[in-house]
Amino acid sequence: MHELSIAQNIIDAVQTALPEHGLTRVERIGVRIGTLSSVDPEALTFGYQALIAETSLAGSVLAIEMIETRARCRRCREEFVATDFVFVCPKCESSQCDLVSGQELEIVYLEGE
Ligand SMILES: [Zn+2]
């Protein structure tokens, strides 16, 4: 289950970042996850809650923001939402497209005291 290793990575990153932010306790962790990273937000939340139970992060919650997969056409520069991993320009039907977003997996903020 790769959500568990992602949850562990988030925990490690938060524990490293806490002193840097002058925080001793964190309540809310904002994360952005691209739909292309195929992370199930429910599984991630579940894994996170299980892993923090005995740590200094116990009681904190993940605020997960899913980022849609967007691509831009190389031929006509149209930017569009790619659904079902299909990268075909809706305007000119070219498949020469560059990924704009969808691979994010990052911590965007920490809330605590
Ligand atoms: Zn196009």
Side-chain angles (χ1 to χ4, degrees), residues 73-78 89-94:
C73 176
R74 283 187 194 172
R75 195 193 287 169
C76 73
R77 311 308 294 166
E78 174 82 354
C89 176
K91 208 168 167 185
C92 72
E93 297 186 342
S94 166

Side-chain angles (χ1 to χ4, degrees), residues 21 29-33 63 65 67 105-110:
H21 288 75
I29 297 137
V31 290
R32 293 168 69 150
I33 296 172
E65 183 192 353
I67 307 297
L105 218 168
E106 57 195 9
I107 296 171
V108 280
Y109 65 84
L110 296 174

Side-chain angles (χ1 to χ4, degrees), residues 7-73:
Q8 188 61 57
N9 287 342
I10 292 172
I11 291 164
D12 293 345
V14 170
Q15 283 177 331
T16 305
L18 278 183
E20 292 165 13
H21 288 75
L23 296 169
T24 50
R25 218 166 64 82
V26 68
E27 285 160 11
R28 210 172 151 83
I29 297 137
V31 290
R32 293 168 69 150
I33 296 172
T35 47
L36 259 191
S37 60
S38 62
V39 172
D40 175 3
E42 278 182 34
L44 180 60
T45 301
F46 185 81
Y48 180 79
Q49 291 300 333
L51 289 171
I52 60 169
E54 305 289 319
T55 75
S56 58
L57 300 182
S60 65
V61 292
L62 279 187
I64 299 172
E65 183 192 353
M66 296 303 290
I67 307 297
E68 63 190 4
T69 302
R70 298 185 71 86
R72 188 183 294 113
C73 176

Side-chain angles (χ1 to χ4, degrees), residues 34-37 67-74 79-82 85-87 95-104:
T35 47
L36 259 191
S37 60
I67 307 297
E68 63 190 4
T69 302
R70 298 185 71 86
R72 188 183 294 113
C73 176
R74 283 187 194 172
E79 193 179 307
F80 60 95
V81 175
F85 307 102
V86 177
F87 295 94
S95 56
Q96 299 291 306
C97 304
D98 293 315
L99 191 65
V100 175
S101 67
Q103 288 183 307
E104 293 79 357

